[in-house]
């Protein structure tokens, strides 16, 4: 009987030991698989993070190029438009200022040139408008309106008079020039400040 008990006790110990060993084996196997899985996840995560960083850098570079391109286009548009506005103001001065031509042929020629320059400047403005803010566009239009009314009005008057009568339009011409002086210099100065602000040279 004692022998049987001893045998059963030994078997129980062996079974318990085998169970413990199996449990430890499974635990170790699971731990290794968990660690391998965690390492794989980290590697994949690191790769994805690096890919994301790379995409963000590319996107930032593309945006930088786009902003630089837009600024260059805006600068070119402003340069061209400001040159046209300066030429237009000079053309109006030649026609309407006190030292304007007295010869009828010259009066008609310079008046016609001023109207053409007005149309050219409007054309330049419409091409540049897409690159300019609404506030800048308002200031440009204020300058153009200030010149347009006087230049066009005077040119229309010329069409109703013969050459020998042109020098009798001094009052009309003076009023037209005063109308320009009342609006354009201040509007142009305001526009110049806006252009400098857009180009980033306001403090230079």
């Amino acid at each position: 009987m004692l022998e049987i008990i001893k045998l059963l006790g030994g078997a129980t110990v062996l079974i318990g030991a085998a169970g413990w060993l199996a449990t430890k084996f499974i635990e170790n196997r699971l731990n290794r698989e968990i660690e391998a899985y965690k390492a794989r996840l980290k590697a994949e995560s690191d790769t994805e993070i690096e890919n994301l960083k790379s995409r963000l850098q590319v996107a930032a570079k593309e945006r930088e190029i786009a902003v630089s391109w837009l600024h260059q286009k805006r600068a070119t548009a402003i340069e061209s438009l400001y040159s046209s506005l300066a030429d237009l103001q000079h053309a109006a001065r030649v026609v309407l200022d006190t030292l304007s031509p007295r010869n009828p042929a010259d009066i008609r020629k310079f008046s016609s040139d001023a109207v053409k320059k007005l149309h050219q400047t409007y054309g330049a403005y419409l091409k540049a408008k897409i690159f300019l803010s609404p506030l800048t566009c308002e200031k440009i239009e204020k300058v153009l309106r200030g010149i347009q009314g006087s230049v066009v009005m005077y040119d229309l008057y010329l069409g109703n008079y013969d050459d020998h009568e042109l020098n009798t339009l001094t009052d009309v011409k003076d009023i037209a020039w005063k109308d320009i002086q009342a609006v354009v210099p201040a509007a142009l100065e305001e526009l110049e400040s806006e252009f400098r602000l857009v180009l980033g040279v306001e403090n230079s």
Side-chain angles (χ1 to χ4, degrees):
M1 187 69 177
L2 289 174
E3 292 298 326
I4 294 172
I5 292 173
K6 288 180 180 179
L7 288 173
L8 290 174
T12 301
V13 170
L14 288 174
I15 291 171
W20 181 83
L21 288 174
T23 301
K24 285 299 180 182
F25 175 78
I26 293 170
E27 286 179 355
N28 289 336
R29 180 68 180 270
L30 286 174
N31 286 336
R32 285 197 302 272
E33 290 182 356
I34 289 170
E35 290 302 319
Y37 181 69
K38 286 165 64 177
R40 186 167 66 254
L41 280 181
K42 185 178 185 305
E44 291 175 354
S45 176
D46 290 345
T47 299
E48 185 61 30
I49 289 172
E50 289 303 316
N51 288 339
L52 179 59
K53 286 181 179 178
S54 178
R55 290 196 296 272
L56 288 174
Q57 288 173 352
V58 170
K61 188 63 178 178
E62 289 175 347
R63 175 170 174 75
E64 181 183 338
I65 292 171
V67 169
S68 176
W69 176 86
L70 179 59
H71 185 76
Q72 182 59 47
K73 293 292 287 186
R74 186 181 288 122
T76 301
I78 287 174
E79 178 186 9
S80 175
L81 181 56
Y82 183 76
S83 177
S84 290
L85 286 168
D87 289 345
L88 175 59
Q89 186 186 33
H90 176 70
R93 178 185 293 275
V94 168
V95 174
L96 301 174
D97 201 0
T98 54
L99 298 179
S100 59
R102 298 294 180 182
N103 181 282
D106 289 338
I107 292 173
R108 294 189 189 280
K109 176 185 180 304
F110 285 117
S111 180
S112 177
D113 288 347
V115 172
K116 288 177 183 176
K117 190 62 190 174
L118 178 66
H119 292 158
Q120 290 170 359
T121 305
Y122 261 109
Y125 164 60
L126 291 176
K127 291 177 182 178
K129 189 174 182 180
I130 188 65
F131 299 108
L132 305 172
S133 71
L135 178 61
T136 302
C137 290
E138 286 178 15
K139 293 177 179 179
I140 293 169
E141 290 169 10
K142 187 176 181 180
V143 173
L144 289 173
R145 286 195 302 269
I147 296 176
Q148 178 185 15
S150 296
V151 167
V152 172
M153 179 196 71
Y154 183 67
D155 192 65
L156 290 174
Y157 263 95
L158 294 182
N160 294 322
Y161 289 83
D162 295 330
D163 286 353
H164 68 276
E165 298 175 302
L166 295 187
N167 287 316
T168 66
L169 297 178
T170 302
D171 289 346
V172 174
K173 182 181 68 174
D174 290 345
I175 291 171
W177 180 242
K178 285 178 181 177
D179 287 345
I180 286 179
Q181 289 300 95
V183 176
V184 173
L188 193 57
E189 184 177 350
E190 192 177 343
L191 179 60
E192 287 170 355
S193 297
E194 181 73 11
F195 280 169
R196 292 190 184 97
L197 183 64
V198 171
L199 296 174
V201 296
E202 68 277 11
N203 294 322
S204 298

